[in-house]
Amino acid sequence: YDYERMQYNTVVSGAMKMLNALEDFRPDAAQGGSVLREGLSLLLRVLYPACPHITQVLWQELGFEKATGTLLDARMPAVDESALVQDEIELVLQVNGKTRGKIVVPAAADDEAIQAVALASPEFNKFSEGKAVKLVKIVKGRLVNVVVG
């Protein structure tokens, strides 16, 4: 989608996030590195349109060409929408407009439930200094700002 819109900065950003996740990944004995190989394969396929020469060399050097053919013929990864569904989401917690922590709420939580979790959080209790709540502003899926005074 980012390639279609010619927004290469977001392609690079997504690739960096994936690279960071791959660097942090520690496979256990059962996975045996196959997950890491699949991640590298995905990363190279996604980067191929932006930097074909280096990704082709890496594809060959990592042995993907012998196993699956050339990178030019490799299929672009398809999005599995069901894998993107989350049970819980993390929201930024602000007190008087300043970021003070994060809270985790069910993905389907309504505003009342989100507000209850925010007001019960240790971060809110610490930074509200016992002052009364004047306003709670919720930006769906992103943040909760509690104004006290």
Side-chain angles (χ1 to χ4, degrees):
Y1 180 70
D2 291 331
Y3 278 120
E4 291 172 5
R5 296 181 315 173
M6 293 193 297
Q7 293 193 342
Y8 303 114
N9 57 332
T10 55
V11 171
V12 172
S13 174
M16 287 302 301
K17 288 178 184 177
M18 187 168 191
L19 182 61
N20 290 337
L22 289 171
E23 286 177 342
D24 293 341
F25 180 73
R26 301 291 176 251
D28 59 20
Q31 295 165 331
S34 62
V35 173
L36 187 58
R37 283 192 57 77
E38 180 66 18
L40 287 171
S41 169
L42 288 170
L43 181 61
L44 291 175
R45 285 184 276 164
V46 168
L47 285 175
Y48 181 67
C51 44
H53 299 94
I54 189 66
T55 53
Q56 179 63 39
V57 170
L58 290 170
W59 187 263
Q60 290 170 344
E61 292 293 318
L62 292 170
F64 290 118
E65 189 167 282
K66 289 180 183 176
T68 61
T70 66
L71 182 54
L72 179 62
D73 296 329
R75 297 179 67 185
M76 285 297 276
V79 176
D80 180 4
E81 296 291 336
S82 65
L84 299 176
V85 176
Q86 297 177 328
D87 295 332
E88 295 180 327
I89 57 173
E90 186 177 74
L91 303 174
V92 172
L93 175 64
Q94 294 181 338
V95 177
N96 290 337
K98 294 182 181 177
T99 301
R100 299 300 187 188
K102 295 182 180 186
I103 59 171
V104 177
V105 296
D110 61 358
D111 287 354
E112 285 183 19
I114 293 171
Q115 181 175 334
V117 171
L119 297 179
S121 71
E123 292 86 0
F124 171 74
N125 291 322
K126 177 180 175 183
F127 291 103
S128 67
E129 300 169 346
K131 296 177 184 172
V133 175
K134 288 185 175 182
L135 174 72
V136 177
K137 178 70 176 169
I138 299 172
V139 179
K140 286 283 187 196
R142 304 197 113 203
L143 65 88
V144 180
N145 183 21
V146 183
V147 178
V148 296

